Amino acid sequence: QPEELLKVHVRREPYSVHLVWLGKEGKGREAIYVKGKYKNEMQLLLAAGDLPFFPAGMRYSISPDDALAKSKSRHPITETGFGPIIESFGRLATGIEKGDARAGTVKYLGRVKREEFQAPVEAVLQILPANSDPLLPKGGRRFWYFDVNTGLPVLYITHDPSGEVEYYCHDGIIWPAPMDDNDFNPERVWKK
């Protein structure tokens, strides 16, 4: 997929996400999802070319599990934010501690310098066996990078035998960030 640059707002309770596409790819697109609201559907503000015959700026609702909704991303909007990433790494760590080889192996790489960040980050390499991840049927390698001060997973990069298939970088993090229902209400956010 082409690179996408997004501004991401996430609230834990109720789980809420607001995505704003800032880069060339998807420019003008926005998505709002609030667990338990809007029939549990994503509320979209379409970008040019998102759907045939639908103009940019039109509102559209779709299930996060719909094939069309997942066609431009390896993960649904319900997996946005640090929570799902931390849970995934926690499952990996638990599996390794129990000797469960299904999640693969890990190697701590120490503090490394990455061009994305001013300060070094903690690095872990995960080797994924074939079929351990539904998105990696032939297996692969995943590099996890954690902020030294916060411990947050700020970057992860996944490769399968064909090359890089995932690159998620989190920067400009503002936490805590006070947000309320209006920050995830399409009627307020997209008010003209």
Side-chain angles (χ1 to χ4, degrees):
Q1 298 285 350
E3 180 181 69
E4 296 179 330
L5 177 63
L6 283 79
K7 181 178 184 180
V8 179
H9 298 195
V10 178
R11 178 176 64 169
R12 285 178 36 188
E13 290 297 328
Y15 181 74
S16 309
V17 178
H18 179 201
L19 306 174
V20 180
W21 277 254
L22 302 173
K24 180 181 172 188
E25 187 68 26
K27 181 85 172 164
R29 181 185 308 128
E30 293 189 40
I32 294 176
Y33 173 79
V34 180
K35 186 175 182 178
K37 292 194 90 172
Y38 315 113
K39 299 188 277 186
N40 272 324
E41 292 183 335
M42 290 191 309
Q43 304 303 299
L44 297 175
L45 192 62
L46 299 176
D50 276 348
L51 291 173
F53 312 112
F54 288 80
M58 181 177 171
R59 285 187 54 180
Y60 188 78
S61 296
I62 190 169
S63 167
D65 297 321
D66 187 281
L68 181 62
K70 295 185 344 186
S71 67
K72 293 187 183 254
S73 177
R74 293 171 62 87
H75 302 279
I77 196 168
T78 54
E79 294 178 10
T80 302
F82 289 120
I85 300 168
I86 292 168
E87 288 171 6
S88 178
F89 191 80
R91 285 190 300 274
L92 170 63
T94 300
I96 297 297
E97 287 173 357
K98 292 180 177 180
D100 184 351
R102 289 178 292 179
T105 60
V106 295
K107 179 180 181 183
Y108 175 64
L109 303 176
R111 289 188 181 184
V112 299
K113 183 69 179 117
R114 291 284 309 184
E115 65 180 319
E116 296 90 342
F117 308 105
Q118 290 182 0
V121 289
E122 302 276 358
V124 174
L125 169 62
Q126 175 187 11
I127 304 297
L128 296 115
N131 298 312
S132 63
D133 181 321
L135 299 175
L136 300 167
K138 295 181 180 178
R141 299 176 302 142
R142 179 170 290 138
F143 293 89
W144 300 79
Y145 299 96
F146 298 87
D147 181 273
V148 171
N149 296 315
T150 65
L152 291 174
V154 290
L155 174 66
Y156 69 92
I157 303 170
T158 306
H159 297 262
D160 72 4
S162 69
E164 184 177 283
V165 293
E166 287 183 317
Y167 175 94
Y168 293 96
C169 181
H170 302 92
D171 63 0
I173 300 164
I174 300 172
W175 180 80
M179 292 180 274
D180 62 26
D181 290 344
N182 288 328
D183 294 301
F184 302 96
N185 179 343
E187 300 302 326
R188 295 292 296 264
V189 174
W190 299 332
K191 186 176 179 181
K192 293 188 180 194

